[in-house]
Amino acid sequence: VDVALQNKPATVEQALTDKIGADSLQDHLNNLTIKIGEKISLRRLAVVEKDSADAFGAYSHLGGKISVLILLKNSTDEALAGDIAMHAAAANPKYVSRDQVPAEMVAKEKEIYTEQLKQQGKPEAAIEKILVGKLDKLYSEICLLELPFIKDEEKTIQKLLGENVSIARMERFELGEGIEKETKDFAAEVEAQLQ
């Protein structure tokens, strides 16, 4: 952590080449793995900086199994930032705002919704209007700013922030996230052993 704070790497690969004394971080982790006997690796990191006019909000849930860091711009209200971090831990939004949702994902969802509406016999003129509503619902489920605030469901996170305050960054790490589990086909394994 000290090396990351000092060097501010943009990627894990860059962090692993940073030096701890004479060794790279990767060499240091390899030596620890040998010493301890457990594989130690760095899979994710985020270096987030703020100005004096901004606030960090951090929340750790389930003993650190889920951790969130929120950076509020134009606000020093750390309690508000902490509440939003807690909300992000619970709701698991994929994006902060609509403009961060990949265009390919939106196009794919439109395609799926359009096909469903056609199968339901909806007229072409109505499909476009219905699509707007369906996409709004999608955004309200995956974008942090559009979620109803967990402590006051009458307000969205955007309304809670007001006009001048924004979420500049959201980092959410969950234990085991991104690790692909190997699936085994037991029948194929037995057959391979018999041959």
Side-chain angles (χ1 to χ4, degrees):
V1 172
D2 291 336
V3 170
L5 287 174
Q6 180 181 351
N7 298 329
K8 299 174 181 53
T11 64
V12 170
E13 292 76 20
Q14 184 181 355
L16 292 172
T17 63
D18 289 340
K19 297 289 184 189
I20 296 180
D23 293 336
S24 69
L25 177 58
Q26 182 63 63
D27 292 339
H28 186 72
L29 293 176
N30 291 343
N31 291 336
L32 283 173
T33 297
I34 292 167
K35 182 179 180 180
I36 297 170
E38 291 289 334
K39 174 80 171 139
I40 299 172
S41 62
L42 177 63
R43 290 191 317 108
R44 298 172 289 186
L45 84 124
V47 178
V48 182
E49 297 181 271
K50 73 174 191 72
D51 296 328
S52 60
D54 304 330
F56 278 136
Y59 182 77
S60 182
H61 187 63
L62 298 171
K65 290 183 179 177
I66 300 173
S67 295
V68 179
L69 179 69
I70 294 291
L71 171 59
L72 289 186
K73 279 286 190 197
N74 300 320
S75 174
T76 57
D77 189 345
E78 291 180 359
L80 174 62
D83 281 348
I84 294 171
M86 177 187 63
H87 182 95
N92 191 15
K94 302 299 178 208
Y95 309 96
V96 172
S97 60
R98 286 181 183 211
D99 61 341
Q100 293 179 346
V101 179
E104 307 84 49
M105 179 183 175
V106 174
K108 183 69 175 164
E109 292 297 321
K110 277 184 170 180
E111 185 181 312
I112 292 168
Y113 294 148
T114 301
E115 187 58 36
Q116 289 172 346
L117 293 170
K118 284 180 180 178
Q119 287 180 2
Q120 293 172 7
K122 301 289 184 194
E124 287 291 327
I127 289 178
E128 281 304 313
K129 290 179 183 177
I130 296 171
L131 277 178
V132 170
K134 286 193 170 284
L135 287 175
D136 283 344
K137 182 170 181 355
L138 173 70
Y139 291 134
S140 74
E141 294 170 350
I142 63 172
C143 297
L144 178 61
L145 291 175
E146 300 194 28
L147 294 173
F149 182 48
I150 201 165
K151 289 185 172 182
D152 181 359
E153 294 192 5
E154 298 296 315
K155 295 180 182 176
T156 63
I157 299 293
Q158 181 63 63
K159 285 182 183 171
L160 184 69
L161 293 175
E163 289 184 29
N164 297 325
V165 179
S166 63
I167 298 174
R169 190 102 174 251
M170 171 182 71
E171 295 293 339
R172 185 182 189 281
F173 291 148
E174 188 167 340
L175 184 66
E177 180 180 48
I179 296 177
E180 299 298 324
K181 293 183 180 178
E182 184 180 341
T183 57
K184 294 186 177 184
D185 182 351
F186 184 69
E189 189 177 321
V190 169
E191 184 177 326
Q193 288 180 359
L194 292 174
Q195 293 180 7

